[in-house]
Amino acid sequence: EWEITPEDPVYDLLYPAAENIVTGPQKVGRLTIRDYGQGIAPNAVDLGWLRISASLKRAVSDQPKVKTKRYHRTPVGDKGLGRLATMKIGTVLRLKTAIEGENAWRTVAFSWGEFTPERTLDQIRVLKGTDSSPPVEESGTIIEIIKLNDPNQWRDLDFIEKELIPNL
């Protein structure tokens, strides 16, 4: 039931003004995943998160990966398969991240719908900015998948409880 409004920076990724077909708020659905870890540094967003199979999480040579300071977790997910999997769930992928000391989320968003055979990667719009909603109370990362491909599936509590949660 989540609604996107024209004031949201990613609205134009879903409904380009040039098409001039849709106006006003639209119920599109949104799946949000929140990680209360250390956040992603600005250079790691550009050099790692936005590039499939490029990661600053990889271990150096044969040394074990360095654990995070906050929860002493081993960073995982260095190939981008999770990001690629989101295209099956929804249209727009938005990252909000903040490291310790930042008072606003740094944001990056793009639409999977823009990836077409006739386009090169440099033609894909990537929106970068900041957002203070929700307020940054501690470092971490929020991933939003916006405009769900099958919103009814996410309303099905039987699917959530019996299939999704056990598989996670």
Side-chain angles (χ1 to χ4, degrees):
E1 298 299 317
W2 185 77
E3 190 173 80
I4 190 165
T5 63
E7 294 76 34
D8 191 312
V10 302
Y11 187 88
D12 192 47
L13 289 174
L14 294 171
Y15 308 107
E19 293 176 9
N20 211 7
I21 298 169
V22 177
T23 59
Q26 300 294 314
K27 288 188 178 184
V28 296
R30 173 183 67 174
L31 181 62
T32 302
I33 301 106
R34 173 74 159 97
D35 172 30
Y36 291 91
Q38 61 190 23
I40 304 172
N43 68 327
V45 171
D46 290 333
L47 299 176
W49 195 83
L50 279 172
R51 299 172 189 259
I52 302 300
S53 195
S55 177
L56 301 177
K57 293 181 189 176
R58 290 194 175 130
V60 178
S61 66
D62 60 350
Q63 300 299 312
K65 289 183 177 182
V66 177
K67 294 187 183 264
T68 62
K69 291 178 187 176
R70 179 184 251 165
Y71 295 111
H72 307 289
R73 298 183 298 187
T74 301
V76 296
D78 64 4
K79 294 184 200 75
L81 297 178
R83 273 162 286 159
L84 289 173
T86 66
M87 79 172 77
K88 297 292 280 178
I89 299 171
T91 303
V92 169
L93 184 60
R94 175 165 45 196
L95 168 82
K96 295 181 177 184
T97 190
I99 58 175
E100 189 176 342
E102 289 183 306
N103 58 5
W105 299 99
R106 284 176 288 104
T107 63
V108 174
F110 61 86
S111 171
W112 288 115
E114 291 196 14
F115 290 84
T116 58
E118 64 275 358
R119 282 196 169 141
T120 59
L121 288 176
D122 62 332
Q123 295 173 311
I124 305 301
R125 288 182 296 167
V126 176
L127 304 181
K128 294 182 180 183
T130 59
D131 188 355
S132 56
S133 175
V136 177
E137 295 174 5
E138 57 184 313
S139 64
T141 300
I142 299 171
I143 298 288
E144 294 176 316
I145 305 167
I146 300 169
K147 194 174 183 190
L148 300 177
N149 291 333
D150 187 1
N152 290 329
Q153 184 177 36
W154 301 100
R155 290 186 191 104
D156 181 354
L157 294 180
D158 201 43
F159 162 75
I160 302 292
E161 293 172 0
K162 293 182 179 170
E163 292 185 46
L164 182 64
I165 291 173
N167 285 322
L168 289 176

